[in-house]
Amino acid sequence: MLQQVNGHRSGSDAQGGKSLREDLQEFLGGEALLHELDDLTKVNPVTLETVLRCLQARYAADMFYTSAGCTLVALNPFKPVPQLYSPALMREYHAAPQPQKLRPHIFAVGEQTYRNVQSLIEPVNQSIIVSGESGAGKTWTSRCLMKFYAVVAASPTSLESHKIAERIEQRILNSNPVMEAFGNACTLRNNNSSRFGKFIQLQLNSAQQMTGAAVQTYLLEKTRVTCQASSERNFHIFYQICKGASVDERLQWHLPEGASFSWLPNPERTLEEDCFQVTREAMLHLGIDIPTQNNIFQVLAGLLHLGNIWFADSKDEAQSCQLMDDAKCSIRTSASLLQLPEDPLLETLQIRTIRAGRQQQVFQKPCSRAECDTRRDCLAKLVYARLFDWLVSVINSSICADPDSWTTFIGLLDVYGFESFPNNSLEQLCINYANEKLQQHFVAHYLRAQQEEYAVEGLDWSFVNYQDNQACLDLIEGSPISICSLINEECRLNRPSSAAQLQTRIESALAGSPCLGHNKLSREPSFIVVHYAGPVQYHTAGLVEKNKDPVPPELTRLLQQSQDPLLKVLFPMDPEEKSQEEPSGQSRAPVLTVVSKFKASLEQLLQVLHSTTPHYIRCIKPNSQGQAHTFLQEEVLSQLEACGLVETIHISAAGFPIRIPHQNFVERYELLRRLCTRTSPGSHSPSPDERHSEWSPHTKGATLQPLLQDILHTLPALTQAAATPGDPAEATPVPVHCGRTKVFMTDSMLELLECGRAQVLEQCACCIQGSWRRHRHRKQERQRQAATLIQAAIRSWLARKHIQRMHAAATAIKRTWQKWRIRMAFLASKELDGVQEKHVSQVPLPLGSLLLPQAQTSLLEAIIRLWPLGLVLANAAVGVRGFQRKLVVWACLQLPMGNPSSYAVQTAQEQAGVTSIRALPQGSIKFHCRKSPLPYADICPEPSLHSVTGFNQILLERHSLGHVSYSDLTRLSN
């Protein structure tokens, strides 16, 4: 200790204090670094002390998950941490390109299993083994994993499939509160301890979407219904009924306020699990309707009243034990709730039926008080066990998918943790036996198998000593003699068995086992088994009876007489079952004990686990009191030693968890040879024929090695490309060892190879895309040119057709116009003949009368030529004015080029009076053309005072044509 002299420290003490402070600062600085290590394989040196310090530092920093090689260590925080299990965090781990680079979490393990299923790497099916002591958080871990898979394994496209997926997910999640209500209880170490084991199989289809699930249970602790240790409770469902039922339901189930039940200890304790409404809603989502739920709770209430039935000792052995005064009401209520006849119920509990002899004569023997209590307990355990199995079947029928709809699965194994109580019996022996088998599975799969495989493959490996529990398993289940075989033999012998005798047989037959011990200070018969997690003392009293699990046939027949709908389903009238209950003495079948059934189911489970890729989550309990922010090193240290975590870290730090056969490695990563620049002239890419010959059986071994070396030569380039300038650790090449038949590597190297493979595939995809685009562009260009030629040909054909039609139309118009002109000329000539004759008779002939025929001919030609002029002028009066009108006149008259003003044209409309050429001034005539080739020939505009009434109406002047001189006509005709 430090001492002060006159208020000052001595020199040596001051130096010691300084060194102490430096050590403390160094220790604290080390602690500050330790909590940043998210993988225990990075701890140096790997010892129990350093691992313990790292876990404690991370626990103090609220980091409850730490990697340990292939195992995830989960520390129970004993407090709610909502942000650690939020849906946003689930999606973050699911969307991360490399989830292993994020902080260790159970979601990282779940995402790894999900991606393994997507990659289809054998074995495709995955399993997650959650282990640990009771109260370490196994149930919570399994629940969070199910929520994670429900979120990430459901991404349907259509709305209908989305609704189906949501319904399946909700049912899978709702199976948790129902299973926990009927199968979990409050123990000394855990408020929500699973009293049964379950293996949940999450079923995925080919698109890795969750389509259903299946639940398989193991060894329900049904004795808890009738017997609870001190400070422990019964199953949660009994407390939920008593605390959450409504007033009407209490009256219906005969559960008044403040009622006391002998099978309901510690009712004053209120837990988070005592939520009756949550259980009812979950059952409703699973397809269990309200009437069926009420039927279930009514049967459970009947079991509670059955526990209040007590018998008094009989003074005469020939007389049956009578009920105690307080029990008469209870048996009446219990019979009413179970819908059983009261007298047969009481008689079945009091009197035992014995069949003896070849004739199977029936004898009835009154039971003692202890036997009556045993038969009462057996009745309650039988009903509850059948009810639990029926619930599991209902859940499976609700959430299980058709066998054709799923292809792979992810299994979640949640079994009871290692247990050691002051009084341990058959239940604890089976639970610890299961944990021993799972520990052996872990050792065989990871520790021992890795080291043996390294030796076979010829790798330079320094072996690590690990704890093997094969000796303990030989003691429990070995052949020909073991604890299980001796207990089963006692059950087969038709004799009463004593606890002391069983202890003596076990100690004498298995004296040479190093895992068997004896407590000389114990007053009760017992034996000690040294498990991997520590020694456990088992009491032999009642061990054989629990292993037999006898169910008197009269109890089954009594329950078959019930009028309750649920009990009728649980106990149907089966003739085969009746015949099996009454076998003859010679054909009696061997007794199927509890240990035998549990061992068979456990072997079946291990076969499933061996066919999958296992992942391990080790749940650690920081303290046994369930207090937050409390880390007890002694308790954690014992758990670390028990689960062999240090040996796991040693092998994980120096080992290679990825092992790929040579042929599979070459088939998957042969693409990486494209990244290797070849300088030697002799090396070239193999042709298809050569590549086909490489895989022949004779040359496969010889050709694989060069291919492997070519692929491995690309690793430095991949490592250098993946390295960042600020992270020199990434630039360090990770070792890859090529064994005799397999390639060994670490997770980081596998990730590097996958990145390189993805890069090559991307380059190939870009090359294929470029070639396809070029081909598509050329094809489109050829199609465009062909379309252009086709369009040009069609256009030219259409143009020719149009011209031909126009030419034909023009020819028809021309021919019709010529016919019409000739006809008009003929009609005009006939009219002019009459006018000419009149003028000739009135006007004296000049001297040049010899020229009259020629003048008449010229006049006739002028009239014919001027005939269209009348049509033009008649129409031009409506539409054409000014200079355009004169141009039309010039064109029709064919006037010579000269001054336009020298010619004056006067229309007939400008003069008064209109007459016909043939008719005299008495009136006017209308001349109609049947078909005019001119456009708008049939349109008649509105009449006006100074316009014509139609285009085809020819109105000539009333005055005769005499005012036009003969000379003018002659000039015009010329």
Side-chain angles (χ1 to χ4, degrees), residues 11-27:
S12 60
D13 293 338
Q15 293 178 358
K18 182 178 180 181
S19 61
L20 181 61
R21 286 192 299 272
E22 291 177 355
D23 294 339
L24 182 60
Q25 291 177 357
E26 182 181 357
F27 173 76

Side-chain angles (χ1 to χ4, degrees), residues 70-72 109 113 126-132 138 141-142 145 199 411-415 434-435 437-439 441-442 445 605-606 608-610 612-619:
C70 69
T71 306
L72 179 69
V109 178
T113 59
Q126 308 290 312
S127 61
I128 300 178
I129 303 171
V130 184
S131 60
K138 301 185 301 299
T141 300
S142 301
L145 285 173
F199 181 72
L412 299 178
L413 179 60
D414 177 16
V415 294
N435 282 272
K437 293 291 288 186
L438 294 176
Q439 177 67 15
H441 175 266
F442 173 73
H445 176 265
L605 172 64
L606 290 174
V608 175
L609 294 180
H610 282 300
T612 62
T613 300
H615 305 265
Y616 302 94
I617 298 178
R618 298 288 191 181
C619 297

Side-chain angles (χ1 to χ4, degrees), residues 314-621:
S314 177
K315 298 179 181 179
D316 187 2
E317 294 182 357
Q319 299 295 327
S320 60
C321 297
Q322 299 300 319
L323 287 174
M324 299 183 69
D325 295 337
D326 299 338
K328 294 180 180 179
C329 180
S330 297
I331 194 169
R332 188 181 306 110
T333 305
S334 179
S336 174
L337 292 173
L338 298 177
Q339 298 190 23
L340 292 171
E342 182 179 350
D343 294 337
L345 173 59
L346 181 58
E347 182 180 352
T348 304
L349 298 179
Q350 291 175 334
I351 299 175
R352 176 186 177 188
T353 303
I354 302 175
R355 297 179 181 272
R358 294 186 177 181
Q359 301 299 328
Q360 292 293 307
Q361 297 180 358
V362 179
F363 301 93
Q364 290 186 347
K365 178 184 177 181
C367 298
S368 63
R369 177 184 176 184
E371 290 176 344
C372 291
D373 294 342
T374 302
R375 295 169 72 87
R376 176 204 61 198
D377 296 348
C378 182
L379 179 64
K381 291 186 293 184
L382 178 62
V383 172
Y384 194 84
R386 292 282 186 96
L387 175 60
F388 185 80
D389 293 339
W390 177 80
L391 278 174
V392 173
S393 65
V394 170
I395 291 174
N396 284 332
S397 63
S398 176
I399 65 177
C400 189
D402 295 334
D404 299 334
S405 64
W406 61 277
T407 57
T408 57
F409 69 87
I410 299 176
L412 299 178
L413 179 60
D414 177 16
V415 294
Y416 359 66
F418 186 83
E419 293 185 351
S420 178
F421 299 116
N423 187 7
N424 301 290
S425 187
L426 184 66
E427 295 82 8
Q428 284 69 40
L429 179 62
C430 293
I431 289 173
N432 295 335
Y433 167 54
N435 282 272
E436 289 283 354
K437 293 291 288 186
L438 294 176
Q439 177 67 15
Q440 187 195 40
H441 175 266
F442 173 73
V443 170
H445 176 265
Y446 187 74
L447 303 179
R448 182 172 58 196
Q450 279 201 0
Q451 295 198 145
E452 291 177 356
E453 191 172 12
Y454 293 159
V456 171
E457 292 290 333
L459 269 69
D460 187 10
W461 176 259
S462 58
F463 288 89
V464 178
N465 295 324
Y466 56 85
Q467 183 180 359
D468 193 357
N469 62 341
Q470 186 60 45
C472 183
L473 286 174
D474 292 338
L475 173 65
I476 298 176
E477 64 169 3
S479 179
I481 300 176
S482 63
I483 294 177
C484 292
S485 64
L486 292 175
I487 297 176
N488 288 335
E489 185 179 352
E490 288 291 331
C491 295
R492 287 192 295 269
L493 296 176
N494 191 12
R495 67 179 185 184
S497 175
S498 65
Q501 185 179 0
L502 179 60
Q503 176 190 357
T504 303
R505 290 197 62 187
I506 292 176
E507 290 179 352
S508 59
L510 303 172
S513 176
C515 295
L516 182 65
H518 174 63
N519 186 8
K520 297 181 180 180
L521 301 179
S522 177
R523 297 180 180 180
E524 299 179 0
S526 62
F527 61 92
I528 296 177
V529 177
V530 182
H531 294 280
Y532 75 95
V536 179
Q537 182 179 1
Y538 300 97
H539 296 276
T540 56
L543 204 61
V544 176
E545 292 298 324
K546 289 183 178 180
N547 190 34
K548 287 182 180 179
D549 193 20
V551 178
E554 52 267 26
L555 292 181
T556 305
R557 289 193 294 267
L558 173 67
L559 293 171
Q560 289 175 349
Q561 298 175 8
S562 174
Q563 300 302 318
D564 185 81
L566 179 60
L567 292 180
K568 284 184 177 182
V569 176
L570 300 181
F571 299 94
M573 295 294 295
D574 191 357
E576 297 181 358
E577 182 179 353
K578 184 176 180 181
S579 63
Q580 292 178 2
E581 291 174 357
E582 302 174 357
S584 61
Q586 299 296 330
S587 62
R588 181 174 299 172
V591 179
L592 188 60
T593 61
V594 173
V595 172
S596 301
K597 292 187 290 185
F598 182 72
K599 184 178 179 181
S601 61
L602 191 59
E603 291 295 336
Q604 182 181 4
L605 172 64
L606 290 174
Q607 289 180 2
V608 175
L609 294 180
H610 282 300
S611 65
T612 62
T613 300
H615 305 265
Y616 302 94
I617 298 178
R618 298 288 191 181
C619 297
I620 302 296
K621 184 169 53 175

Side-chain angles (χ1 to χ4, degrees), residues 141-160:
T141 300
S142 301
R143 188 189 307 170
C144 292
L145 285 173
M146 291 182 64
K147 291 182 180 179
F148 174 78
Y149 288 121
V151 171
V152 304
S155 55
T157 55
S158 64
L159 180 60
E160 182 179 358

